[in-house]
Amino acid sequence: MYYAIVGTFMLLLPLLCIAAESLYFGAALDAALVAKWFAFWAVGWRLLLAGCKQMAQPRYTAREILGLKSDESLILVRELGFANVAIGLVGVLSLWLPSWRLAGAFAGGVFYGLAGVMHAVQGHRNRLENVAMVSDLGACAVLLGACLMVLVRHGAA
């Protein structure tokens, strides 16, 4: 289930929405469109759902993804859940509050980049943590790349 959720929210849904808005509604296929849908799905819904799971069932993230066996880690996983919910809400609401879009994409990109690097330096990664690492670093590249392209475009205008 974890693989399906990550693949759906981090790649499939954003790409489908970008394609639909570009092909069917005539939106320009540009960095702003990429930022819009990756902020909504990969930052918004992905982090919101992960945060809810971490707050309600911190053992899953601690044990299954991070390989932590001690119950002492559960309070930190719950607090990670609070942060994920907060960032996720910015991403979800950015669909209706366009002025939040770039900030949501940037915050999500920084979060995913730092999380991906942290996964990468772990010597004892399991398969789930490898998926988290790859998806985090991929989302970071897309989100920060889109932010940079939007900022360069607006700076050139």
Side-chain angles (χ1 to χ4, degrees):
M1 185 63 125
Y2 177 76
Y3 303 115
I5 289 170
V6 170
T8 299
F9 287 98
M10 301 286 279
L11 194 61
L12 181 64
L13 289 172
L15 291 179
L16 285 174
C17 289
I18 290 166
E21 189 165 346
S22 180
L23 295 172
Y24 296 113
F25 300 106
L29 183 56
D30 61 7
L33 187 63
V34 171
K36 173 183 181 177
W37 290 111
F38 272 87
F40 180 71
W41 289 113
V43 175
W45 284 107
R46 173 67 184 108
L47 291 181
L48 182 59
L49 293 173
C52 289
K53 174 91 170 172
Q54 290 159 341
M55 290 185 309
Q57 297 175 328
R59 275 188 180 80
Y60 177 79
T61 297
R63 296 214 168 103
E64 300 302 320
I65 298 175
L66 300 175
L68 303 172
K69 304 300 180 203
S70 168
D71 282 350
E72 292 174 351
S73 66
L74 300 183
I75 191 166
L76 292 175
V77 172
R78 271 203 183 96
E79 288 193 22
L80 172 62
F82 302 156
N84 280 337
V85 166
I87 296 170
L89 285 171
V90 171
V92 169
L93 292 174
S94 74
L95 191 63
W96 297 278
L97 300 167
S99 63
W100 290 20
R101 203 164 285 156
L102 208 55
F106 182 76
V110 169
F111 174 82
Y112 280 129
L114 294 172
V117 168
M118 184 53 81
H119 290 301
V121 300
Q122 296 299 318
H124 64 280
R125 284 190 314 270
N126 60 34
R127 258 190 295 169
L128 294 177
E129 194 168 4
N130 281 330
V131 169
M133 176 187 68
V134 169
S135 64
D136 288 354
L137 293 173
C140 171
V142 169
L143 289 159
L144 294 183
C147 286
L148 181 61
M149 291 174 73
V150 168
L151 292 173
V152 166
R153 181 174 168 218
H154 285 289

